[in-house]
Amino acid sequence: MTRLARLLAGALLLVAGPLGAQEPLPIFDAHAHYNLETGRPVSVEEVFSLWHRAGIRAALLTSRPNEGTRELLARTPPGVRTVAFARPYVVRSDVNTWFRDPARYRLLETELARGIYVGIGEFHIFGQDADSEGFARVVALAMRRGLWLHAHCDDYVIARIYALDPGARVIWAHTGMTVALARVAQLLDAHPGLHGELSYRSGLPRAGDLPVEWRALFLRHPDRFLLGSDTWVPERWPEVPAIMEDYRRWLAQLPAPVAMQIAWGNGARLFLGGADPGAH
Ligand SMILES: [Zn+2]
């Protein structure tokens, strides 16, 4: 073998691991809910067992109410990493009213005073609701405390957040769900602090070929996308390993370093100081 061939073989081995023993891509789950509002969806032990089966080595927690997040955070076993976001929610109907409800703003302040959170969200807001004084107040609160926002919203709201503060760091839940890809690309180009989380995002295949427009967007912005399980209802929990397999099918169609960035690297860089995924 020439020196170059040996180097190449070594590099391939690093990416793929020894033949036959290929590890599934490790995953940073940037959209995990342990909602306890209507009862426990699965036990804490089952959460970590599902994550183990799914290859999830780290998760961004956000729950309704915040007790679920705090419980998982406190009981995270060695080998798994968790980071927490605070939600302005106690019950489901809060998703429509939180930004004009002073009691929910106070809830956020109380939660944030615990000092365990790195962001606010996931919250829901659409269109001109983002022009409200209450929303501006929450964005200002996040900026003052150096926190992320995890926003389930349309492109109007993303533009509004950046009009309020060009330095905002945002996870766009579902990458806008159905917002036109050209608009998503435009917003990513314009705002370096914007990151797209991909659960339920329309246009991504469960099986089959990754559309060329998506491939182009991932190659243009490999450092701006994250995966998520979005366990928003109890039925979603048992599906978590299958959801991650669906992601891995289209990730396998991207260059290996890009797939690794989207699956693990971006979440680890943004929230874990660049930690490696560790042993499974
Ligand atoms: Zn969600």
Side-chain angles (χ1 to χ4, degrees):
M1 233 192 311
T2 66
R3 187 156 174 270
L4 180 65
R6 266 200 312 276
L7 273 174
L8 281 174
L12 275 174
L13 209 66
L14 273 178
V15 173
L19 253 176
Q22 198 173 351
E23 279 269 309
L25 267 181
I27 286 171
F28 183 104
D29 179 352
H31 194 148
H33 298 295
Y34 190 51
N35 291 334
L36 301 177
E37 176 197 354
T38 56
R40 203 168 276 274
V42 291
S43 68
V44 169
E45 292 76 15
E46 186 64 10
V47 168
F48 293 110
S49 151
L50 281 161
W51 285 354
H52 184 79
R53 276 165 47 207
I56 294 172
R57 314 281 181 86
L60 187 165
L61 309 169
T62 152
S63 308
R64 185 181 62 242
N66 292 303
E67 278 74 2
T69 287
R70 282 193 259 119
E71 194 175 344
L72 286 192
L73 194 65
R75 296 181 61 186
T76 302
V80 182
R81 295 179 176 85
T82 43
V83 293
F85 275 47
R87 286 186 111 171
Y89 297 164
V90 177
V91 292
R92 187 140 174 192
S93 56
D94 286 334
V95 304
N96 303 310
T97 54
W98 65 275
F99 51 88
R100 53 169 178 261
D101 182 349
R104 293 299 171 260
Y105 186 85
R106 281 196 301 277
L107 167 74
L108 268 183
E109 286 187 312
T110 308
E111 281 299 318
L112 294 177
R114 297 173 186 274
I116 58 172
Y117 297 101
V118 298
I120 296 172
E122 176 201 23
F123 53 75
H124 301 69
I125 190 159
F126 300 95
Q128 291 174 0
D129 282 345
D131 295 332
S132 61
E133 207 177 301
F135 184 63
R137 211 170 161 216
V138 170
V139 172
L141 174 69
M143 296 311 293
R144 208 161 54 237
R145 289 175 162 265
L147 299 172
W148 284 79
L149 299 168
H150 198 305
H152 180 144
C153 66
D154 51 29
D155 54 317
Y156 182 92
V157 175
I158 294 296
R160 175 66 184 150
I161 291 171
Y162 283 103
L164 286 166
D165 201 315
R169 290 184 297 167
V170 178
I171 295 179
W172 193 3
H174 320 293
T175 313
M177 202 81 90
T178 56
V179 172
L181 219 47
R183 177 66 173 144
V184 172
Q186 192 183 41
L187 288 166
L188 286 171
D189 287 347
H191 308 297
L194 180 63
H195 300 75
E197 179 277 320
L198 295 166
S199 61
Y200 288 107
R201 171 60 223 202
S202 75
L204 288 172
R206 291 204 67 173
D209 291 344
L210 182 65
V212 288
E213 322 81 77
W214 275 102
R215 185 184 168 81
L217 188 60
F218 289 143
L219 295 181
R220 182 177 174 83
H221 290 296
D223 55 341
R224 307 285 287 283
F225 289 97
L226 300 153
L227 306 180
S229 59
D230 192 9
T231 43
W232 67 292
V233 283
E235 304 86 270
R236 191 90 169 152
W237 275 104
E239 293 174 19
V240 168
I243 292 165
M244 297 305 145
E245 276 314 300
D246 291 347
Y247 283 132
R248 288 190 183 98
R249 266 192 292 279
W250 61 252
L251 284 170
Q253 300 170 47
L254 291 168
V258 174
M260 184 66 175
Q261 262 180 297
I262 295 172
W264 173 264
N266 293 335
R269 172 174 48 84
L270 298 170
F271 296 104
L272 304 174
D276 73 47
H280 198 39

